[in-house]
Coordinates of all heavy atoms in Angstrom, one line a residue:
Chain C
E597 N 123.0 103.2 11.2 CA 122.0 102.5 11.8 C 122.5 101.5 12.9 O 122.0 101.5 14.0 CB 121.3 101.6 10.7 CG 119.8 101.4 10.8 CD 119.3 100.7 9.6 OE1 119.2 101.4 8.5 OE2 119.1 99.5 9.7
L598 N 123.6 100.8 12.5 CA 124.2 99.9 13.4 C 124.7 100.6 14.7 O 124.5 100.2 15.8 CB 125.5 99.3 12.7 CG 126.0 98.0 13.2 CD1 125.0 96.9 12.9 CD2 127.3 97.7 12.4
N599 N 125.3 101.8 14.5 CA 125.8 102.6 15.6 C 124.7 103.0 16.6 O 124.9 103.0 17.8 CB 126.6 103.8 15.0 CG 127.2 104.7 16.1 OD1 128.1 104.2 16.8 ND2 126.7 105.9 16.3
A600 N 123.6 103.4 16.0 CA 122.5 103.9 16.8 C 121.8 102.7 17.5 O 121.3 102.9 18.6 CB 121.5 104.6 15.9
E601 N 121.7 101.5 16.9 CA 120.8 100.5 17.4 C 121.5 99.4 18.3 O 120.8 98.8 19.0 CB 120.1 99.8 16.2 CG 119.1 100.7 15.6 CD 118.5 100.1 14.3 OE1 118.9 98.9 14.0 OE2 117.7 100.8 13.7
R602 N 122.9 99.3 18.1 CA 123.5 98.2 18.9 C 124.5 98.6 19.9 O 125.5 99.2 19.6 CB 124.1 97.2 17.9 CG 123.1 96.7 16.9 CD 123.1 95.2 16.6 NE 124.0 94.3 17.1 CZ 124.4 93.2 16.5 NH1 123.9 93.0 15.3 NH2 125.2 92.3 17.0
N603 N 124.2 98.2 21.2 CA 125.2 98.5 22.2 C 126.4 97.7 22.2 O 127.4 98.0 22.8 CB 124.5 98.4 23.6 CG 123.4 99.5 23.8 OD1 123.6 100.6 23.3 ND2 122.3 99.1 24.5
D604 N 126.3 96.5 21.5 CA 127.4 95.6 21.5 C 128.3 95.8 20.4 O 129.3 95.1 20.1 CB 126.9 94.1 21.4 CG 126.1 93.9 20.2 OD1 125.4 94.8 19.7 OD2 126.1 92.7 19.7
V605 N 128.1 96.9 19.6 CA 128.9 97.3 18.5 C 129.3 98.7 18.6 O 128.6 99.6 19.0 CB 128.1 97.1 17.1 CG1 128.8 97.6 15.9 CG2 127.7 95.7 16.9
K606 N 130.6 98.9 18.2 CA 131.1 100.3 18.2 C 131.6 100.6 16.7 O 132.4 99.9 16.2 CB 132.3 100.5 19.2 CG 133.0 101.8 19.1 CD 132.3 102.9 19.8 CE 133.0 104.2 19.6 NZ 132.2 105.4 19.8
V607 N 131.1 101.6 16.1 CA 131.4 102.0 14.7 C 132.4 103.1 14.7 O 132.3 104.1 15.4 CB 130.1 102.4 14.0 CG1 130.5 102.9 12.6 CG2 129.1 101.2 13.9
F608 N 133.4 102.9 13.8 CA 134.4 104.0 13.5 C 134.4 104.2 12.0 O 134.6 103.2 11.2 CB 135.8 103.6 13.9 CG 135.9 103.4 15.4 CD1 135.9 102.1 16.0 CD2 136.1 104.5 16.2 CE1 136.0 101.9 17.3 CE2 136.3 104.3 17.6 CZ 136.2 103.0 18.2
L609 N 134.1 105.4 11.6 CA 134.2 105.7 10.1 C 135.5 106.4 9.9 O 135.7 107.5 10.3 CB 133.0 106.6 9.7 CG 131.6 106.1 10.0 CD1 130.5 107.2 9.7 CD2 131.3 104.8 9.2
V610 N 136.4 105.7 9.2 CA 137.8 106.2 9.0 C 137.8 106.9 7.6 O 137.8 106.2 6.6 CB 138.8 105.1 9.1 CG1 140.2 105.7 8.9 CG2 138.7 104.4 10.5
S611 N 137.9 108.2 7.7 CA 137.9 108.9 6.4 C 139.4 109.0 5.9 O 140.3 109.3 6.6 CB 137.4 110.4 6.6 OG 138.0 111.2 5.7
L612 N 139.5 108.7 4.6 CA 140.8 108.8 3.9 C 140.9 110.0 3.0 O 141.8 110.1 2.1 CB 141.1 107.5 3.1 CG 141.2 106.3 4.0 CD1 141.5 105.0 3.2 CD2 142.3 106.4 5.0
D613 N 140.0 111.0 3.3 CA 140.0 112.2 2.4 C 141.3 112.9 2.5 O 141.7 113.5 1.5 CB 138.9 113.2 2.9 CG 137.5 112.7 2.5 OD1 136.9 111.9 3.1 OD2 137.1 113.2 1.4
L614 N 142.0 112.9 3.6 CA 143.2 113.7 3.8 C 144.4 113.2 2.9 O 145.3 114.0 2.7 CB 143.7 113.8 5.2 CG 142.7 114.4 6.2 CD1 143.3 114.5 7.6 CD2 142.1 115.7 5.8
D615 N 144.2 112.0 2.4 CA 145.3 111.5 1.5 C 145.4 112.4 0.2 O 146.5 112.6 -0.3 CB 145.0 110.1 1.1 CG 146.1 109.4 0.2 OD1 147.2 109.5 0.7 OD2 145.8 108.9 -0.9
L616 N 144.3 112.9 -0.2 CA 144.2 113.7 -1.5 C 144.1 115.2 -1.2 O 144.6 116.0 -1.9 CB 143.1 113.2 -2.4 CG 143.2 113.4 -3.9 CD1 144.4 112.8 -4.4 CD2 142.0 112.7 -4.5
D617 N 143.4 115.5 -0.1 CA 143.1 116.9 0.2 C 143.4 117.2 1.7 O 142.7 116.6 2.5 CB 141.6 117.2 -0.2 CG 141.3 118.7 0.1 OD1 142.1 119.4 0.6 OD2 140.1 119.0 -0.1
P618 N 144.4 118.0 2.0 CA 144.8 118.1 3.4 C 143.8 118.9 4.2 O 143.9 118.9 5.4 CB 146.1 119.0 3.3 CG 146.1 119.6 1.9 CD 145.3 118.7 1.0
N619 N 142.8 119.6 3.6 CA 141.8 120.3 4.3 C 140.6 119.4 4.8 O 140.0 118.9 3.9 CB 141.3 121.5 3.4 CG 140.4 122.4 4.2 OD1 139.9 122.1 5.3 ND2 140.1 123.6 3.6
P620 N 140.4 119.3 6.1 CA 139.4 118.4 6.6 C 138.0 119.0 6.4 O 137.0 118.3 6.7 CB 139.7 118.2 8.0 CG 140.4 119.5 8.4 CD 141.2 120.0 7.2
A621 N 137.8 120.3 6.0 CA 136.5 120.9 5.9 C 135.4 120.1 5.2 O 134.3 120.1 5.6 CB 136.7 122.3 5.3
K622 N 135.8 119.5 4.1 CA 134.8 118.8 3.3 C 134.2 117.7 4.1 O 133.0 117.4 4.0 CB 135.5 118.2 2.1 CG 134.7 118.2 0.8 CD 135.4 117.6 -0.4 CE 136.4 118.5 -1.0 NZ 137.2 117.8 -2.0
V623 N 135.0 117.0 4.9 CA 134.6 115.9 5.8 C 133.6 116.4 6.9 O 132.5 115.9 7.1 CB 135.7 115.1 6.4 CG1 135.2 114.0 7.3 CG2 136.7 114.6 5.4
Y624 N 134.0 117.6 7.5 CA 133.2 118.2 8.5 C 131.8 118.6 8.0 O 130.8 118.4 8.6 CB 133.9 119.4 9.1 CG 135.2 119.0 9.8 CD1 136.2 120.0 10.0 CD2 135.5 117.7 10.3 CE1 137.4 119.7 10.7 CE2 136.7 117.4 10.9 CZ 137.6 118.4 11.1 OH 138.8 118.1 11.7
R625 N 131.9 119.2 6.8 CA 130.6 119.7 6.2 C 129.7 118.5 5.8 O 128.5 118.5 6.1 CB 130.9 120.4 4.9 CG 131.2 121.9 5.1 CD 131.1 122.7 3.9 NE 131.9 122.3 2.8 CZ 133.2 122.7 2.6 NH1 133.7 123.7 3.4 NH2 133.9 122.3 1.6
F626 N 130.3 117.4 5.3 CA 129.6 116.2 5.0 C 128.9 115.6 6.3 O 127.7 115.3 6.3 CB 130.5 115.1 4.4 CG 129.8 113.8 4.2 CD1 129.1 113.6 3.0 CD2 129.9 112.8 5.1 CE1 128.5 112.4 2.8 CE2 129.2 111.6 4.9 CZ 128.5 111.4 3.7
M627 N 129.7 115.6 7.4 CA 129.2 115.1 8.7 C 128.0 115.9 9.2 O 127.0 115.3 9.6 CB 130.3 115.1 9.7 CG 131.4 114.1 9.5 SD 132.7 114.3 10.7 CE 131.9 113.8 12.2
E628 N 128.1 117.2 9.0 CA 127.1 118.1 9.4 C 125.8 117.9 8.6 O 124.7 117.8 9.1 CB 127.6 119.5 9.3 CG 126.9 120.5 10.2 CD 127.5 121.9 10.1 OE1 128.6 122.0 9.7 OE2 126.8 122.9 10.4
R629 N 126.0 117.9 7.3 CA 124.9 117.8 6.3 C 124.1 116.5 6.6 O 122.9 116.4 6.5 CB 125.4 117.8 4.9 CG 124.5 118.3 3.9 CD 125.2 118.7 2.6 NE 125.9 117.6 2.0 CZ 127.2 117.7 1.7 NH1 127.9 118.8 2.0 NH2 127.9 116.6 1.2
R630 N 124.8 115.4 6.8 CA 124.2 114.1 7.0 C 123.9 113.8 8.4 O 123.3 112.7 8.7 CB 125.1 113.0 6.4 CG 125.4 113.1 5.0 CD 124.2 112.8 4.2 NE 124.5 112.8 2.7 CZ 124.6 111.7 2.0 NH1 124.4 110.5 2.6 NH2 124.9 111.8 0.7
G631 N 124.3 114.6 9.3 CA 124.0 114.4 10.8 C 124.7 113.1 11.2 O 124.1 112.3 12.0
I632 N 125.9 112.9 10.8 CA 126.7 111.7 11.2 C 126.9 111.6 12.7 O 127.4 112.5 13.3 CB 128.0 111.6 10.4 CG1 127.8 111.6 8.9 CG2 128.8 110.4 10.9 CD1 127.1 110.4 8.3
E633 N 126.5 110.5 13.3 CA 126.7 110.4 14.8 C 127.8 109.4 15.2 O 128.2 109.4 16.3 CB 125.3 110.0 15.4 CG 124.4 111.2 15.3 CD 123.0 110.9 16.0 OE1 122.8 109.7 16.4 OE2 122.2 111.8 16.1
S634 N 128.2 108.5 14.2 CA 129.3 107.6 14.5 C 130.6 108.3 14.7 O 130.7 109.5 14.3 CB 129.5 106.6 13.4 OG 128.3 105.9 13.1
A635 N 131.5 107.7 15.4 CA 132.8 108.4 15.5 C 133.5 108.4 14.2 O 133.6 107.4 13.5 CB 133.7 107.6 16.5
V636 N 134.0 109.6 13.8 CA 134.7 109.7 12.5 C 136.2 110.0 12.8 O 136.5 110.9 13.6 CB 134.1 110.9 11.7 CG1 134.9 111.1 10.4 CG2 132.7 110.5 11.3
L637 N 137.1 109.2 12.3 CA 138.5 109.4 12.4 C 139.1 109.7 11.1 O 138.9 109.0 10.1 CB 139.2 108.1 12.9 CG 138.6 107.5 14.2 CD1 139.2 106.1 14.5 CD2 138.9 108.4 15.4
L638 N 139.8 110.9 11.0 CA 140.4 111.3 9.7 C 141.8 110.9 9.7 O 142.6 111.4 10.5 CB 140.3 112.8 9.5 CG 138.9 113.4 9.3 CD1 138.2 113.7 10.6 CD2 138.9 114.7 8.5
L639 N 142.2 109.9 8.9 CA 143.5 109.4 9.0 C 144.4 110.3 8.2 O 144.2 110.7 7.0 CB 143.6 108.0 8.3 CG 145.0 107.3 8.4 CD1 145.5 107.1 9.8 CD2 144.9 106.0 7.6
N640 N 145.5 110.8 8.9 CA 146.4 111.8 8.3 C 147.8 111.2 8.2 O 148.6 111.3 9.1 CB 146.5 113.0 9.2 CG 147.3 114.1 8.6 OD1 147.5 114.2 7.4 ND2 147.8 115.0 9.4
E641 N 148.0 110.5 7.1 CA 149.3 109.8 6.9 C 149.7 110.0 5.4 O 148.9 110.2 4.5 CB 149.1 108.3 7.1 CG 149.1 107.9 8.6 CD 150.5 108.1 9.3 OE1 151.5 108.3 8.6 OE2 150.5 108.1 10.5
K642 N 151.0 109.9 5.2 CA 151.6 110.0 3.9 C 151.9 108.6 3.4 O 152.0 107.7 4.2 CB 152.8 110.9 3.9 CG 152.5 112.4 4.0 CD 153.8 113.2 3.9 CE 154.7 113.1 5.1 NZ 155.8 114.0 5.2
D643 N 152.2 108.5 2.1 CA 152.8 107.3 1.5 C 152.0 106.0 1.8 O 152.5 105.1 2.6 CB 154.2 107.2 2.1 CG 155.2 106.5 1.1 OD1 154.6 105.9 0.1 OD2 156.4 106.5 1.3
P644 N 150.8 105.9 1.3 CA 149.9 104.7 1.7 C 150.5 103.4 1.5 O 150.2 102.5 2.3 CB 148.7 104.9 0.7 CG 148.7 106.3 0.3 CD 150.2 106.8 0.3
N645 N 151.5 103.2 0.6 CA 152.1 101.9 0.4 C 152.8 101.4 1.7 O 152.9 100.2 1.9 CB 153.1 102.0 -0.7 CG 153.7 100.6 -1.0 OD1 153.0 99.6 -1.2 ND2 155.0 100.5 -1.1
T646 N 153.2 102.3 2.5 CA 153.9 101.9 3.8 C 152.9 101.5 4.9 O 153.3 100.9 5.9 CB 154.8 103.1 4.3 OG1 153.9 104.2 4.6 CG2 155.8 103.5 3.3
W647 N 151.6 101.8 4.8 CA 150.7 101.5 5.9 C 149.4 100.7 5.5 O 148.8 100.2 6.4 CB 150.3 102.8 6.7 CG 149.7 103.9 5.9 CD1 150.4 105.0 5.4 CD2 148.4 104.1 5.4 NE1 149.5 105.8 4.7 CE2 148.3 105.3 4.7 CE3 147.2 103.3 5.6 CZ2 147.1 105.7 4.2 CZ3 146.0 103.7 5.0 CH2 146.0 104.9 4.3
I648 N 149.1 100.6 4.2 CA 147.9 99.8 3.9 C 147.9 98.4 4.4 O 147.0 97.9 5.0 CB 147.7 99.9 2.3 CG1 147.2 101.3 1.9 CG2 146.6 98.8 1.9 CD1 147.1 101.5 0.5
D649 N 149.1 97.7 4.3 CA 149.2 96.4 4.8 C 149.1 96.3 6.3 O 148.8 95.3 6.8 CB 150.6 95.8 4.3 CG 150.5 95.2 2.9 OD1 149.4 95.0 2.4 OD2 151.6 95.0 2.3
E650 N 149.5 97.4 7.0 CA 149.4 97.4 8.4 C 147.9 97.4 8.9 O 147.6 96.9 10.0 CB 150.0 98.7 9.0 CG 151.5 98.9 8.6 CD 152.4 98.0 9.4 OE1 152.2 97.9 10.6 OE2 153.3 97.5 8.8
I651 N 147.0 97.9 8.1 CA 145.6 97.8 8.4 C 145.1 96.4 8.1 O 144.5 95.8 9.0 CB 144.8 98.8 7.5 CG1 145.3 100.3 7.7 CG2 143.3 98.7 7.8 CD1 144.8 101.0 8.9

Side-chain angles (χ1 to χ4, degrees):
Chain C
E597 212 173 285
L598 202 65
N599 183 63
E601 288 173 3
R602 301 228 352 212
N603 291 326
D604 60 330
V605 173
K606 173 80 184 157
V607 172
F608 297 96
L609 301 175
V610 180
S611 152
L612 295 181
D613 283 84
L614 301 185
D615 185 52
L616 205 54
D617 179 357
N619 186 346
K622 218 183 280 172
V623 180
Y624 298 157
R625 277 198 300 269
F626 175 86
M627 290 174 66
E628 204 178 335
R629 206 165 56 236
R630 297 292 184 104
I632 300 293
E633 289 183 354
S634 303
V636 174
L637 305 171
L638 293 86
L639 184 61
N640 185 26
E641 282 293 345
K642 287 186 286 190
D643 211 347
N645 184 50
T646 60
W647 55 260
I648 287 171
D649 279 341
E650 301 284 318
I651 304 277

